[in-house]
Amino acid sequence: MTKPLAKQSPAKPSRPRQTRLSPDDRRRELLDAAILYFAEEGFDGGTRGLAKRLGITQPLLYRYFSSKEDLVNEVYRAVYLDRWQADWETTILNRDRPIEDRLLEFYRGYTDLIFDRNWMRIFFFAGLKGLDLNKRYIKRVETVLLTPIWAETSIALGVTMKGHTTEYPHDLVWQMHGAILYHGIRKHIYADCTVDIERTILVAVQTYLSAARATIA
């Protein structure tokens, strides 16, 4: 007589093997999480809160970033410096093209990168907290982008480099830059989905050039 087959218990599903990240990859993973965390909570959110959100201990976080200041500096580098494009300066200085075309191309590329939720929110949270992150970035924008914009504008409008009007008029160029930046604020801070950035750039550049002609005249 044949014995009935013994019932076999269903096999337990095997757990997927977790891949151990290299120290560099793990550090990048923590940095990406910190960017999202500071964009949502601001810089009052400390490393203890960040570690809790990540499900790790604060000492483990400090194995990859020596201090909160070190972490904030890395956030600054990743969000602002790593997105900086050398061809922005090249576009501004290309005298083979009309100044209006150069400015339109530059601001299209610039806004493609900075009109980002994390960029905007971290920038304003840092300003409210009084961190020098904003000051460092604004200084770079002013020195590398806005001062050359005015010099190139002056030359395009017929003023030699020896003319006094090639000196950088802080308010005039910042008004153009700020008008464009404000529409990024509307989109990512105020959640205004009606922003037409192409039209914004065109109006801001043409208004600036009109004011520049009047100033130089």
Side-chain angles (χ1 to χ4, degrees):
M1 183 173 178
T2 305
K3 293 183 179 180
L5 295 175
K7 292 183 179 180
Q8 296 182 348
S9 58
K12 295 182 179 179
S14 59
R15 294 182 178 178
R17 297 181 61 182
Q18 294 183 346
T19 303
R20 182 181 294 275
L21 297 176
S22 69
D24 286 344
D25 289 341
R26 181 58 168 161
R27 191 174 193 273
R28 180 68 221 191
E29 182 181 67
L30 294 174
L31 179 59
D32 289 341
I35 290 170
L36 292 175
Y37 178 72
F38 289 133
E40 292 175 7
E41 303 295 333
F43 289 94
D44 283 330
T47 53
R48 187 182 302 276
L50 173 60
K52 183 177 180 181
R53 172 175 292 194
L54 294 174
I56 62 174
T57 63
Q58 195 176 23
L60 177 59
L61 182 62
Y62 283 135
R63 284 178 55 186
Y64 295 91
F65 304 97
S66 59
S67 63
K68 182 177 179 180
E69 181 181 3
D70 178 36
L71 177 58
V72 170
N73 283 332
E74 285 301 300
V75 168
Y76 171 72
R77 179 191 58 76
V79 175
Y80 298 100
L81 300 187
D82 287 356
R83 297 188 186 195
W84 194 275
Q85 302 293 307
D87 60 1
W88 291 342
E89 302 160 55
T90 304
T91 298
I92 292 169
L93 299 175
N94 181 10
R95 295 179 186 171
D96 292 333
R97 302 178 59 191
I99 187 65
E100 181 174 333
D101 290 353
R102 286 184 262 167
L103 293 178
L104 291 175
E105 181 180 336
F106 159 64
Y107 275 112
R108 286 169 185 145
Y110 186 71
T111 55
D112 277 347
L113 288 181
I114 73 163
F115 279 17
D116 169 82
R117 180 179 182 274
N118 293 338
W119 194 104
M120 289 287 175
R121 291 179 63 87
I122 287 175
F123 189 80
F124 283 95
F125 275 132
L128 292 171
K129 189 64 176 175
L131 304 179
D132 73 341
L133 181 156
N134 306 62
K135 296 177 183 177
R136 281 186 281 165
Y137 184 77
I138 288 173
K139 183 65 175 177
R140 184 172 190 177
V141 167
E142 194 167 46
T143 302
V144 181
L145 300 177
L146 302 190
T147 300
I149 282 176
W150 177 250
E152 291 300 310
T153 301
S154 299
I155 293 169
L157 297 181
V159 179
T160 66
M161 288 303 291
K162 294 180 181 179
H164 70 279
T165 51
T166 57
E167 295 178 3
Y168 175 53
H170 185 275
D171 289 341
L172 192 61
V173 185
W174 265 113
Q175 283 171 8
M176 172 182 62
H177 193 77
I180 294 170
L181 184 66
Y182 173 68
H183 283 70
I185 298 171
R186 280 178 55 193
K187 182 175 181 180
H188 293 288
I189 304 298
Y190 302 146
D192 182 353
C193 297
T194 65
V195 173
D196 183 346
I197 187 56
E198 181 65 28
R199 176 170 174 75
T200 295
I201 293 171
L202 180 61
V203 171
V205 167
Q206 290 181 343
T207 301
Y208 159 72
L209 290 175
S210 178
R213 290 186 185 95
T215 299
I216 289 173

